[in-house]
């Protein structure tokens, strides 16, 4: 099977950079620490997969199913995750800097401490996501859905929040004044 072949390749330290796995069925795969930089994983099913510490920098993951996947400390910098399903994914401390997340589903995802600087999250669904201590410096959040998100200690400086759906309910008081988002006792300028 494909999964068995991939596991053997990882054991043999075979280079998987730029490998074409478009449409692959890799649900619940255990591929932690693999180097899949530049890989083509468009339309792949990686739901509930363990991709912790994986290098997916520059990878093509558009329309991929990553729901419930473990992506802790993964490198997804510059990756194309447009229209990908990342609902319920664990992206704690992942590097998503410069990633394309246009129209992606990140509902209920855990992004604690993740780097989303300069990422494009336009039209993304982030409802119920955990965004504590997230770096959103320079990120595009146009038309994104942020209902019920936890933005405590998030860096929103330089981000574009045009027509963004901000939380209706929040554990902290928040307000927008001029170019500043005030959350609790912290002020973020955008």
């Amino acid at each position: 099977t494909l999964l068995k072949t991939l596991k053997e390749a990882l054991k043999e330290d075979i280079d998987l950079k730029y490998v074409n796995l478009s449409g692959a069925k890799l649900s619940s795969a255990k591929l932690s620490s693999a180097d899949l930089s530049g890989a083509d994983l468009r339309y792949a099913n990686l739901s509930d997969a363990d991709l912790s510490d994986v290098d997916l920098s520059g990878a093509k993951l558009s329309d991929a199913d990553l729901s419930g996947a473990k992506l802790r400390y993964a490198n997804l910098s510059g990756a194309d995750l447009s229209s990908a399903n990342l609902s319920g994914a664990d992206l704690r401390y992942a590097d998503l800097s410069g990633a394309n997340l246009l129209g992606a589903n990140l509902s209920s995802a855990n992004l604690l401490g993740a780097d989303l600087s300069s990422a494009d999250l336009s039209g993304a669904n982030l409802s119920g996501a955990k965004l504590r201590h997230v770096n959103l410096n320079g990120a595009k959040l146009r038309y994104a859905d942020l209902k019920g998100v936890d933005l405590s200690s998030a860096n929103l400086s330089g981000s574009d929040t045009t027509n963004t759906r901000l939380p209706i309910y929040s554990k902290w008081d928040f307000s927008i004044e001029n170019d500043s988002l005030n959350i609790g006792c912290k002020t973020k300028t955008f």
Side-chain angles (χ1 to χ4, degrees):
T1 68
L2 176 60
L3 188 53
K4 186 176 179 181
T5 304
L6 278 174
K7 285 182 181 179
E8 289 299 317
L10 290 171
K11 284 182 189 174
E12 300 294 323
D13 202 26
I14 294 173
D15 188 359
L16 294 174
K17 293 178 185 176
Y18 301 99
V19 67
N20 186 346
L21 295 169
S22 181
K25 292 175 175 57
L26 298 167
S27 180
S28 300
K30 299 196 183 338
L31 300 170
S32 59
S33 301
D35 186 350
L36 293 165
S37 55
D40 186 349
L41 291 155
R42 291 174 293 173
Y43 300 99
N45 182 351
L46 291 156
S47 59
D48 299 311
D50 184 356
L51 301 165
S52 301
D53 292 307
V54 168
D55 186 351
L56 286 161
S57 57
K60 298 173 187 169
L61 290 150
S62 59
D63 296 292
D65 183 358
L66 292 149
S67 57
K70 294 173 188 72
L71 290 149
R72 287 182 302 272
Y73 297 99
N75 181 357
L76 292 147
S77 60
D80 181 3
L81 290 147
S82 55
S83 299
N85 182 3
L86 291 145
S87 61
D90 183 354
L91 290 148
R92 287 178 286 172
Y93 304 102
D95 182 356
L96 292 141
S97 58
N100 178 4
L101 291 147
L102 184 74
N105 181 2
L106 290 143
S107 60
S108 301
N110 187 348
L111 290 139
L112 173 73
D115 184 359
L116 289 151
S117 58
S118 300
D120 189 350
L121 292 146
S122 299
N125 179 2
L126 291 143
S127 60
K130 293 179 180 124
L131 296 172
R132 289 185 6 220
H133 303 285
V134 171
N135 182 6
L136 288 160
N137 183 24
K140 293 178 187 169
L141 293 158
R142 292 175 160 248
Y143 298 96
D145 186 350
L146 299 176
K147 290 184 308 193
V149 300
D150 180 353
L151 285 165
S152 58
S153 300
N155 177 3
L156 291 159
S157 60
S159 61
D160 181 354
T161 56
T162 305
N163 295 316
T164 300
R165 291 184 70 189
L166 292 171
I168 294 170
Y169 165 77
S170 177
K171 294 178 191 174
W172 301 271
D173 294 328
F174 69 92
S175 63
I176 299 175
E177 298 171 19
N178 300 324
D179 287 335
S180 296
L181 173 63
N182 304 308
I183 303 170
C185 61
K186 302 211 182 236
T187 300
K188 300 295 177 184
T189 304
F190 53 94

